[in-house]
Amino acid sequence: MSYIQIANEKLEQLKDRDDIVILAIESSCDETACAIMKGKELLANVVASQIDIHRRFGGVVPEIASRNHTLAIENVVKEALAKAQMTLDDIQVIGVTYGAGLLGALLIGVSFAKSLAYSLQKPLIAVNHIKGHIAANYIACPDLKPPYICLIASGGHTAICKVQDLNEIEIIGCTVDDACGEAFDKVARCLGLPYPGGVEIEKLALSGNCNIEMPLPFKGEDHFNFSYSGLKTAVINYIHNKEQKGEQYNKADVAASFQSRAIGMLVDNTIRAALKYGYKTIVIAGGVGANKLLRAKMSEQGQKHNINVIYPPLNLCTDNAAMIASETRILIKSGAKCADIDLDGSANVRIFD
């Protein structure tokens, strides 16, 4: 029999079990990660970050990211196995991020996972990175069940979804230009702050005041879309105008004013969506979910409107393999088929492909 026939037969035997042992790999950007789950229990979650490497360049350099994934991936997998006190023989399914992300970085993880799956004759599951971010919440809150409203906010995506079932997800609003996290990074760069920009703006904003007027896109319009390009441009123009006139300005006030508007849009649209559709649970997914102002404001509004707000812990907001393992488990339970050894990475995928 071919690999794919053997793998699908094994997967069919596993899908009804609650104790499946999954090894997951994530390499979509600048974190090389491996996690191991048994059922819903997370046994190991190892992340090798490249932040210090890319900080000198002010952002992620794709080729450098790919080379460092190549250097790190074998050791990350070995460390995860050691932490879980397992060997490769104990692994039953391998999950891997195939998209979206940096193509070269994705290919490192996909190639490693394919080689591992083929050599072990174990099932391989291809995972959408964004669905992985949502699935991180099932680790943080094992009793979480749809339906709920989900806010996805990261460096590459900003969207609001209705999650009707584990694999029934409908986008009801999204950014029409820049993602929220992308805007944070660009504004941080203009302020002379190091990469990653979101964390640096959050820290700087603590000593600032929200006293600079910022534009509000789609004011008065009845939809849930976002736009961050105009907000980003307004900040950049404010800074440039001050510098060209030789006028002093307070960077902390700029950071605070920008962050307040950027986060305010996320909170307002998400709460409005929950109220419109009568959902009593909101789930946060993606790296921007680590922002303390977002957590505080969303919890405040959730309490006001009797809506339960759920966040992953901070280490599961940013890119990690635990979320990929969680989504792998969901896909298996939903009847997904194995990926074959011709699986390729994809830089651009629809949010819910």
Side-chain angles (χ1 to χ4, degrees), residues 134-214:
I134 298 175
N137 285 280
Y138 296 109
I139 301 172
C141 186
D143 295 329
L144 173 65
K145 291 182 175 60
Y148 55 78
I149 292 290
C150 180
L151 169 66
I152 302 167
S154 69
H157 298 84
T158 304
I160 296 175
C161 312
K162 288 196 297 182
V163 180
Q164 315 273 31
D165 206 343
L166 290 177
N167 268 311
E168 187 180 343
I169 305 172
E170 177 189 354
I171 298 174
I172 57 175
C174 62
T175 181
V176 300
D177 41 56
D178 292 351
C180 182
E182 178 186 3
F184 267 87
D185 284 338
K186 289 178 177 177
V187 168
R189 192 176 301 123
C190 196
L191 286 168
L193 300 174
Y195 170 83
V199 176
E200 299 299 327
I201 283 184
E202 184 179 356
K203 288 193 293 188
L204 182 59
L206 292 174
S207 58
N209 297 304
C210 300
N211 55 13
I212 301 170
E213 187 174 349
M214 294 287 166

Side-chain angles (χ1 to χ4, degrees), residues 143-299:
D143 295 329
L144 173 65
K145 291 182 175 60
Y148 55 78
I149 292 290
C150 180
L151 169 66
I152 302 167
S154 69
H157 298 84
T158 304
I160 296 175
C161 312
K162 288 196 297 182
V163 180
Q164 315 273 31
D165 206 343
L166 290 177
N167 268 311
E168 187 180 343
I169 305 172
E170 177 189 354
I171 298 174
I172 57 175
C174 62
T175 181
V176 300
D177 41 56
D178 292 351
C180 182
E182 178 186 3
F184 267 87
D185 284 338
K186 289 178 177 177
V187 168
R189 192 176 301 123
C190 196
L191 286 168
L193 300 174
Y195 170 83
V199 176
E200 299 299 327
I201 283 184
E202 184 179 356
K203 288 193 293 188
L204 182 59
L206 292 174
S207 58
N209 297 304
C210 300
N211 55 13
I212 301 170
E213 187 174 349
M214 294 287 166
L216 178 61
F218 306 131
K219 186 176 181 180
E221 296 185 26
D222 187 21
H223 57 69
F224 305 114
N225 289 337
F226 302 93
S227 173
Y228 282 96
S229 180
L231 176 59
K232 169 203 68 183
T233 302
V235 175
I236 293 171
N237 287 342
Y238 175 87
I239 294 170
H240 286 173
N241 287 337
K242 289 291 187 181
E243 290 175 345
Q244 287 169 359
K245 294 176 182 178
E247 297 177 358
Q248 297 293 317
Y249 66 94
N250 189 311
K251 288 187 177 184
D253 289 349
V254 174
S257 300
F258 164 76
Q259 178 180 245
S260 178
R261 178 65 81 204
I263 294 301
M265 289 192 287
L266 296 177
V267 175
D268 290 347
N269 280 12
T270 306
I271 292 292
R272 284 196 302 110
L275 293 174
K276 178 175 180 177
Y277 293 104
Y279 284 28
K280 290 297 183 183
T281 301
I282 288 172
V283 165
I284 311 299
V288 180
N291 182 280
K292 293 182 179 64
L293 182 65
L294 172 63
R295 289 176 172 242
K297 292 295 184 183
M298 196 73 83
S299 293

Side-chain angles (χ1 to χ4, degrees), residues 310-353:
I310 294 172
Y311 319 88
L314 296 181
N315 69 318
L316 296 185
C317 287
T318 50
D319 292 349
N320 63 88
M323 68 185 196
I324 304 304
S326 181
E327 177 59 17
T328 299
R329 182 179 180 278
I330 290 169
L331 289 170
I332 294 169
K333 293 296 182 183
S334 301
K337 296 296 183 182
C338 295
D340 209 338
I341 53 174
D342 62 354
L343 175 67
D344 204 355
S346 179
N348 297 301
V349 298
R350 293 176 58 190
I351 292 182
F352 299 123
D353 277 352

Side-chain angles (χ1 to χ4, degrees), residues 4-36:
I4 195 66
Q5 290 174 316
I6 294 171
N8 275 323
E9 280 192 9
K10 288 183 177 180
L11 195 65
E12 183 66 25
Q13 295 168 5
L14 290 169
K15 71 177 185 179
D16 294 325
R17 292 178 54 173
D18 292 325
D19 61 347
I20 305 172
V21 180
I22 297 167
L23 182 149
I25 293 170
E26 154 65 26
S27 68
S28 64
C29 191
D30 59 343
E31 278 91 15
T32 315
C34 180
I36 296 174

Side-chain angles (χ1 to χ4, degrees), residues 54-73:
H54 296 282
R55 182 169 282 150
R56 72 191 73 170
F57 305 107
V60 178
V61 181
E63 185 176 345
I64 293 174
S66 299
R67 290 180 179 183
N68 280 279
H69 284 307
T70 303
L71 294 172
I73 192 163

